[in-house]
Amino acid sequence: MYCCSLAVSFSFTITLATPRSISILLLLFSHFSHLQLFMTPFGVRNISHMVTEFILLGFPSRWEIQLLLFCLFSVTYILTILGNMAIVCAVYWDLRLHTPMYLLLANFSFLEICYVNSDVPNMLANFLSKTKAIPFTQCLLQLYFFFSLGTTECLFLSIMAYDRFLAICRPLHYPTIMTTKFCRNLVIFCWVYGFLWFLVPIVLVTQLPFCGPNVIDDFLCDLGPLLALASACIPIPGTVLICGTMSSLLIFATFFYIIGSYTLVLRAVLQVPSASGRKKAFSTCSSHLAVVFLFYGSVMMTYVSPGSGQAEGMQKFTTLFYSVMTPLFNPLIYSLRNKEMKEALKKVLGRA
């Protein structure tokens, strides 16, 4: 109705105007018609349908290099799946590992399997693709699942730190607090809250005006590049601020909680009179901390300020590290420094 009233008023004016006035009015009408693609009386309108697909550049190189990368990451992907699946099976089959710490570890390994499946299969297909195109809807789905699983991983690392804090700093209260039911509730909380946290940013992204540029210099649909593409159409400071705030809040809140928990744990470990007790506690905590620093070190470089354009050339490599390489290292870190896990993995391999 807004457009019709504007057109009627213009046509009525044109019939009474001079030729020079007609040209001016037509220029104004074309200007307002252009603006209406972006604005409505209620603000910015969703015009994301103007872009039907995105181009994921990935790692541009010659065809021979693309084949080499395909083979390399295929092996990495298979090893990641097998390594994390081995931990899940070891915890499931070994009754000695049916404790909160190992149940959390098994869920964390299953999460890593889901995590690599959210981006690696598409990256492998992209290596062999000539168009390197991904549909708009599939891009948004990948963005949602990738970030939701990343959020869930932050929560799981926090819960695992809380478990170690209780086990070492409150050993007498640990059996009564960290029961199987409570551990199950913590796992459910991580999965549910992880997938709810990123709903607001994904809704905001669906409302952004992707009006033309559709090339993403990355191997997945990442938040920063998508915000940069939308910013090429109209300024979106509010969306960038909300996404950056939510990312920073999640990352720093969970990171400082984990660091605080392990600080208390290490202080308690140093007071253990037994050398063997200190060694066992240090071994468990060091493996957890190694995973924490591998994951958070690369995540902070990427998502604390999405869309800011900082280190654009390095963003895909930091994303590659925490989304592909960290899930590969986790089974090695947790198994090599844990005697019970190594024995359980030997049983799994023996059954296989």
Side-chain angles (χ1 to χ4, degrees):
M1 183 178 295
Y2 178 76
C3 291
C4 292
S5 60
L6 184 62
V8 169
S9 62
F10 270 27
S11 63
F12 178 74
T13 305
I14 289 174
T15 59
L16 301 178
T18 63
R20 183 174 181 180
S21 300
I22 291 175
S23 61
I24 294 175
L25 290 173
L26 287 175
L27 180 62
L28 290 173
F29 181 74
S30 63
H31 177 67
F32 281 113
S33 298
H34 174 72
L35 285 181
Q36 214 224 338
L37 292 174
F38 299 90
M39 302 296 294
T40 69
F42 303 100
V44 178
R45 191 179 69 178
N46 178 16
I47 58 170
S48 57
H49 63 274
M50 294 183 64
V51 170
T52 60
E53 64 180 16
F54 293 100
I55 306 299
L56 297 176
L57 292 182
F59 302 93
S61 57
R62 299 195 313 271
W63 174 247
E64 295 80 4
I65 303 299
Q66 294 284 305
L67 287 177
L68 177 62
L69 291 175
F70 173 81
C71 296
L72 177 63
F73 284 108
S74 294
V75 173
T76 302
Y77 174 67
I78 294 172
L79 291 177
T80 301
I81 297 296
L82 292 178
N84 285 282
M85 186 60 70
I87 290 181
V88 174
C89 294
V91 174
Y92 178 78
W93 282 330
D94 196 328
L95 296 179
R96 296 176 303 169
L97 301 184
H98 287 191
T99 61
M101 183 182 80
Y102 290 108
L103 291 176
L104 291 174
L105 178 58
N107 276 275
F108 185 75
S109 295
F110 177 73
L111 170 64
E112 295 288 54
I113 294 173
C114 298
Y115 200 30
V116 295
N117 277 303
S118 69
D119 63 325
V120 175
N122 185 76
M123 179 179 67
L124 294 177
N126 197 37
F127 283 131
L128 304 180
S129 172
K130 293 184 178 180
T131 61
K132 301 187 181 300
I134 179 172
F136 182 84
T137 303
Q138 184 180 339
C139 181
L140 292 184
L141 284 175
Q142 184 187 54
L143 176 70
Y144 174 67
F145 281 101
F146 181 75
F147 272 83
S148 295
L149 291 168
T151 301
T152 306
E153 181 156 348
C154 292
L155 297 175
F156 260 109
L157 290 173
S158 302
I159 296 302
M160 293 168 74
Y162 174 68
D163 174 74
R164 290 301 84 204
F165 166 77
L166 287 178
I168 296 176
C169 299
R170 302 288 186 270
L172 298 179
H173 298 88
Y174 182 78
T176 57
I177 296 177
M178 191 59 74
T179 61
T180 303
K181 181 180 179 180
F182 183 60
C183 181
R184 188 187 307 117
N185 291 335
L186 289 177
V187 170
I188 294 174
F189 166 79
C190 290
W191 282 102
V192 173
Y193 196 80
F195 277 81
L196 290 177
W197 178 261
F198 201 68
L199 280 177
V200 173
I202 196 67
V203 170
L204 291 176
V205 171
T206 60
Q207 302 301 311
L208 295 179
F210 297 100
C211 60
N214 68 335
V215 178
I216 299 177
D217 186 15
D218 211 329
F219 62 91
L220 56 80
C221 290
D222 210 346
L223 182 60
L226 285 175
L227 293 178
L229 291 181
S231 299
C233 299
I234 60 171
I236 51 169
T239 301
V240 173
L241 177 62
I242 293 174
C243 293
T245 300
M246 294 190 68
S247 299
S248 300
L249 181 62
L250 172 73
I251 293 170
F252 284 114
T254 54
F255 178 74
F256 285 125
Y257 176 81
I258 293 170
I259 295 301
S261 298
Y262 281 116
T263 300
L264 297 175
V265 167
L266 292 177
R267 189 176 68 177
V269 168
L270 293 176
Q271 298 175 356
V272 175
S274 161
S276 60
R278 286 198 303 269
K279 182 179 179 180
K280 183 177 180 180
F282 270 124
S283 177
T284 303
C285 293
S286 62
S287 61
H288 287 192
L289 283 173
V291 173
V292 168
F293 284 116
L294 281 174
F295 180 75
Y296 277 94
S298 52
V299 166
M300 285 183 178
M301 295 177 61
T302 308
Y303 296 115
V304 171
S305 182
S308 62
Q310 296 180 354
E312 292 180 355
M314 291 298 297
Q315 179 170 328
K316 70 173 72 175
F317 294 101
T318 56
T319 305
L320 178 71
F321 184 81
Y322 78 79
S323 64
V324 179
M325 304 310 298
T326 301
L328 173 66
F329 296 148
N330 286 349
L332 298 175
I333 294 173
Y334 282 118
S335 61
L336 292 179
R337 301 188 62 84
N338 190 301
K339 182 179 179 181
E340 291 84 359
M341 181 57 67
K342 283 192 289 187
E343 292 177 355
L345 287 175
K346 289 179 181 178
K347 291 183 179 180
V348 171
L349 295 177
R351 290 191 180 190

